[in-house]
Structure formats: C-alpha cells, structure tokens
Amino acid sequence: MTQQKENIRSLTDAELLTFLKANKQQSFRAKQISSWIWDKGVGSFEAMNNLPEALRSSLAEHFFFDTLSAEQVQTAADGTTKTAWKLHDGLHIESVLIPGKERFTVCVSSQVGCKLGCLFCATASLGFKRNLSVGEIFEQVVKAKSEAEKRGGSLSNIVLMGMGEPLLNYENVLTAIARITAPEGMGMSPSRITLSTVGIAPQIKQLADDNVRFNLALSLHSAKEEVRKALMPIAKMYSLNELADSLKYFVAKTDTRPTFEYLLLKGVNDSLDDAKALAVYCRQFPVKINIIEYNENKFSDFQASDEKQRNSFVAFLESKNIIVNVRRSKGKEIAAACGQLAGQI
Ligand code: SF4
C-alpha cells in the first residue's frame, strides 16, 4: 500500500524535527528547510539547493506542496488584479492585488466558498467546499508580494476579506499569519494585517485570549437586530449584544480599536434612523467605521445608496465624533471588489 504524503506546510516545526531525526538527519536541516518554505517562499523541494540530494528526495517521497497555480488573471483599468487560483485538488479560490501609490494591498481568501450565506455577497452563491490550508493562505501572500515587486512596488498590507469567514478556519488562519509575521518567516508587521469577520462572537474572544497583534474588522452592516438578521444569517446565532460583549473583551485585552465595515444598501440600512442606531452601538467601545460602497452584482438585488444619502449618513456619524472612512471599491469591472468574489472563471 502506498503511503499518503503529508502537506509540508501543515507540519509544525516540532514535527519537522521529528521527521529529520527519524531519517537520521542533523537538526540544523530543520532551520534550512523552514527558511526555504517560510522565508524564501519556495513551492518545491528541488528549489532547496543547500540540502543534500538524498534529503530532498526523501522529503519529496513523504511530503507535498499544496501550491497554487494561476488559472485566470484579470487586471482592471485602475491596476487592481484578480487572480483565480487552482488548488491542488482542482478547486478554485480568488485573491485580489490592489495597488496604492507604491504600495500594494492583497485581499486573501481563507476558505473555498463560504457557508454563511450573507445575502449581499457573491461568494455565498458558491456554498462551502473546504477550509484553505496554512500553505494555501500563506502562498496567496507570497504570490502577491512577488507580483507587487515585479511592478516596482512592495506589498504593505494584507486583508483577510476574500472568500470565506476566517474565524471558521481559525487554526490555519492564525498559523498562516504567524508564519507571515515571524522574523524567520516573511517578517511582516502584524499591524499591516487586518482580519475581517462577520462576527463569530466566541472566536473574537479567543483572538483576544490568543493575544493577537493584527487588526480586527467586523462586518456589521446594521446596528438594528432585525435588519442585520435579514442580511446575515449568522446574526441569528450571535446577537448584537453578544457581539458587543465579545468586542468589549477584545478591546480590553488587546488595547486596539476595531473597525466596523458597513455596506450602504439603498433603502435597507442607509436611513438617518440607521445612522442613529449605529452611533448608539458605537458608544460601547472605541471603534472606527468604514463605509463601503456596495458593488451591485448578479447574485443579489440590492442597490448601492445614492451619494446624497451616503453623505448625510456619514455627516451624521461624524457629528457624533465617530471616525468614518468612505471606501470606494477598486476593480469593479472585473468583479474583484468587495463582496464580488464568486470564482466565475
Ligand atoms: S460576506 Fe463573508 S461571511 Fe458572508 S457569505 Fe460572503 S464570504 Fe461568507
């Protein structure tokens, strides 16, 4: 019977050491191998050219790399690039590289599809296939970094806002972030990373207990229970009060200011009354709000708020001394904007 190969990037450092010991290899090889995987970001054992040939063959015999291959690359007029990646098992995910002046942001997926069924989200139409592995999350960042450098810039920010709910793939997402931020990995600052969740209250507390240093964004979209429940089925599981409790806990333990993401939907959550409810909800903790322009898509009937409505909504929040940013999505025409990732290759 042939032995099943293991995913090398799902191995812990301790497991790698055990493998090397069992194969009568010296322990310093673990550092060399880790450096190839997590610092240089290679995707094959052949690339590890300071290892003896026999060790490379032995690694290839026992392990595999779950590398991503680009299936389709689309670039919008504003330079935003959406890449559909084919995974080792034939499934697809997407990530989006968004250019700034010289710096780039990558929006990374954490699951293949999503089970949470938010009504405004194109990804929801895919259903849920599986969680991404540590390597698959990590490699989206490696590829983005190399593309940003090819274009003469650098990768400065990572947002986990692509396909899937990152907190439902907790272990792999946190391990990938640890590899991305480790000095002996990619060495990126955690303050450059934002994890966006629809609000899985227990896991928000868990993040605080795990003492994470990255930024937290919560897709709120309404501070009215009934509206939120109608937009996001997960709101039936975790009420606004439960979310508020978990956020208070997070803020107290991490001493950070989370961000609320708020999609403005015409006639749904964009009235002055909605703004008032939001302002009241925000009184409970230090928070800033990103108002996001809705990207209409064929998967839902929602419409974006008009400019006048958006301006009054923002003006009301600002009159209550709340920090508000209005986000204009990039890459709309290639369906790379927020909530548009639907794996339509
Ligand atoms: S918004 Fe996020 S959590 Fe909701 S369905 Fe889309 S991918 Fe899933």
Side-chain angles (χ1 to χ4, degrees):
M1 202 172 77
T2 50
Q3 192 200 351
Q4 272 236 301
K5 289 189 187 188
E6 272 189 80
N7 184 343
I8 187 80
R9 293 190 294 197
S10 295
L11 228 57
T12 62
D13 293 342
E15 286 166 341
L16 178 58
L17 260 177
T18 307
F19 169 81
L20 291 170
K21 264 192 200 154
N23 285 271
K24 302 193 174 29
Q25 296 287 334
Q26 287 173 290
S27 54
F28 76 92
R29 296 290 182 199
K31 239 187 178 168
Q32 288 179 317
I33 296 167
S34 281
S35 164
W36 282 112
I37 300 174
W38 305 115
D39 175 16
K40 300 182 184 80
V42 300
S44 76
F45 298 108
E46 298 87 79
M48 301 181 176
N49 61 21
N50 58 356
L51 302 185
E53 180 63 46
L55 176 54
R56 277 186 270 165
S57 310
S58 169
L59 286 167
E61 218 175 279
H62 292 87
F63 304 103
F64 71 97
F65 272 94
D66 50 354
T67 47
L68 313 177
S69 55
E71 188 94 331
Q72 190 181 61
V73 182
Q74 293 170 276
T75 302
D78 62 19
T80 300
T81 301
K82 177 173 80 170
T83 307
W85 301 107
K86 187 172 175 189
L87 308 177
H88 69 95
D89 55 4
L91 294 172
H92 291 88
I93 52 157
E94 291 174 348
S95 54
V96 181
L97 187 64
I98 307 147
K101 276 194 182 129
E102 280 164 8
R103 295 170 165 211
F104 287 74
T105 296
V106 64
C107 176
V108 167
S109 294
S110 55
Q111 297 183 309
V112 187
C114 184
K115 63 174 104 169
L116 296 186
C118 303
L119 266 71
F120 47 80
C121 174
T123 305
S125 66
L126 297 172
F128 174 72
K129 304 284 190 316
R130 68 169 170 85
N131 280 333
L132 292 185
S133 66
V134 172
E136 289 163 339
I137 298 165
F138 181 82
E139 197 172 338
Q140 291 174 72
V141 178
V142 172
K143 302 268 198 213
K145 184 169 180 273
S146 122
E147 180 61 23
E149 285 164 4
K150 245 191 254 165
R151 292 206 217 165
S154 62
L155 182 69
S156 65
N157 290 79
I158 300 169
V159 293
L160 282 131
M161 293 186 187
M163 294 174 158
E165 164 51 57
L167 295 187
L168 293 184
N169 186 11
Y170 192 94
E171 292 298 326
N172 289 351
V173 164
L174 261 71
T175 307
I177 292 176
R179 296 293 193 184
I180 291 162
T181 54
E184 64 282 7
M186 287 176 83
M188 283 190 75
S189 163
S191 64
R192 299 282 186 180
I193 300 176
T194 302
L195 181 150
S196 177
T197 174
V198 286
I200 317 288
Q203 264 86 349
I204 292 174
K205 286 190 171 170
Q206 185 65 48
L207 288 175
D209 289 339
D210 287 338
N211 199 23
V212 299
R213 308 316 304 163
F214 51 77
N215 306 301
L216 180 69
L218 186 129
S219 297
L220 192 68
H221 308 320
S222 178
K224 292 181 178 171
E225 202 79 83
E226 289 316 308
V227 178
R228 196 163 190 271
K229 276 185 190 163
L231 290 173
M232 308 163 80
I234 192 73
K236 294 176 190 148
M237 199 176 258
Y238 304 112
S239 68
L240 284 165
N241 280 342
E242 272 177 283
L243 274 187
D245 280 351
S246 67
L247 287 171
K248 282 180 206 162
Y249 187 82
F250 182 85
V251 167
K253 280 212 152 185
T254 61
D255 196 23
T256 55
R257 182 190 287 266
T259 303
F260 283 156
E261 308 285 348
Y262 198 105
L263 267 178
L264 269 188
L265 303 169
K266 189 175 189 165
V268 176
N269 64 355
D270 64 347
S271 68
L272 193 56
D273 200 48
D274 291 301
K276 281 182 188 161
L278 181 54
V280 170
Y281 194 67
C282 287
R283 272 193 219 138
Q284 305 178 78
F285 19 65
V287 73
K288 51 193 174 193
I289 299 178
N290 280 344
I291 298 291
I292 305 166
E293 209 180 56
Y294 183 62
N295 297 299
E296 292 169 20
N297 62 69
K298 65 175 183 189
F299 299 99
S300 82
D301 296 329
F302 293 111
Q303 290 175 294
S305 291
D306 53 45
E307 204 178 331
K308 198 169 153 231
Q309 194 64 26
R310 185 173 67 225
N311 290 344
S312 340
F313 194 91
V314 170
F316 178 82
L317 295 174
E318 285 176 339
S319 75
K320 300 291 171 198
N321 296 319
I322 295 170
I323 304 170
V324 188
N325 292 304
V326 179
R327 287 280 170 92
R328 300 226 152 66
S329 284
K330 293 189 169 183
K332 279 190 215 180
E333 77 270 28
I334 56 166
C338 199
Q340 287 187 320
L341 301 185
Q344 304 170 77
I345 57 166

